[in-house]
Amino acid sequence: MYILFVIIGFVFSGCSNLNMTYSPILLQELGMPTGAVGTVLFFSTIVELPVILFSYKFMDRFSGRTLMLLAFAIMVAQFLLYATAPNAFVAVVTMLVLRAIGSTLFGMILLKIVRGVVQVRSVSTALGVISATDAMSAILMQNLGGILVENTSIRILYFAMAGLMMLGMILTLFLRVQNTEKVFS
């Protein structure tokens, strides 16, 4: 189960990191001034605070797989909205509501699932491997994303990322995690 989770994490982290790079470019392409892009990114990051502050209310109530499916669904919705946004307003609202929530949720789910699939003495090592996987996926996805944007468009990139996230959702259906340990309560 841990290897499957590492693969799932590779897909999620790679697309999430790619989104962090290309969402400002998307806003500029939709006509938003550079100064306003920074402001939108700032407020979209602030939105994640309630998810963190109230995580104790929901993280231990749901299974790791259910939470993972929710995180993937948030990212799929986000990427499809970016890919089809008719104007900057739609992209900004999507960014303010969804951008940081999926990634933040994944970070918390990571702790929950790792605690459920590896022995307690191996948690630090397991988290280290996932951190290295995150870095590798960022490098690989940045290169692939750049090639895709250069040869097509940023909207095609977001469609491709939505497709990868759907693949991640399918892989998550095979994930079996014990949900006995309270990590956030």
Side-chain angles (χ1 to χ4, degrees), residues 95-111:
M95 199 168 287
L96 290 174
V97 175
L98 299 176
R99 183 172 184 260
I101 293 174
S103 298
T104 301
L105 190 57
F106 178 75
M108 293 186 296
I109 295 165
L110 184 140
L111 294 173

Side-chain angles (χ1 to χ4, degrees), residues 43-181:
F43 284 111
S44 72
T45 302
I46 296 296
V47 170
E48 74 187 29
L49 289 177
V51 174
I52 296 167
L53 293 174
F54 296 108
S55 62
Y56 69 95
K57 291 189 176 274
F58 64 89
M59 286 299 292
D60 287 332
R61 290 188 181 181
F62 300 100
S63 71
R65 185 169 65 167
T66 300
L67 291 167
M68 185 65 95
L69 288 170
L70 175 64
F72 272 111
I74 288 169
M75 298 302 270
V76 167
Q78 178 185 182
F79 295 158
L80 288 176
L81 285 166
Y82 287 164
T84 60
N87 54 47
F89 178 77
V90 172
V92 166
V93 170
T94 302
M95 199 168 287
L96 290 174
V97 175
L98 299 176
R99 183 172 184 260
I101 293 174
S103 298
T104 301
L105 190 57
F106 178 75
M108 293 186 296
I109 295 165
L110 184 140
L111 294 173
K112 181 178 178 81
I113 290 181
V114 167
R115 291 283 305 264
V117 297
V118 300
Q119 296 176 353
V120 174
R121 69 179 195 277
S122 301
V123 168
S124 294
T125 303
L127 291 172
V129 169
I130 289 174
S131 180
T133 301
D134 179 38
M136 288 174 37
S137 71
I139 293 167
L140 179 65
M141 294 297 269
Q142 291 292 339
N143 287 324
L144 294 174
I147 292 167
L148 190 59
V149 168
E150 283 180 10
N151 292 312
T152 60
S153 72
I154 197 163
R155 290 178 186 266
I156 297 296
L157 171 68
Y158 276 105
F159 276 124
M161 289 187 341
L164 285 171
M165 287 298 194
M166 287 180 207
L167 172 65
M169 285 179 84
I170 292 168
L171 292 173
T172 299
L173 294 174
F174 297 101
L175 190 62
R176 303 283 180 252
V177 181
Q178 293 177 344
N179 201 36
T180 56
E181 205 168 328

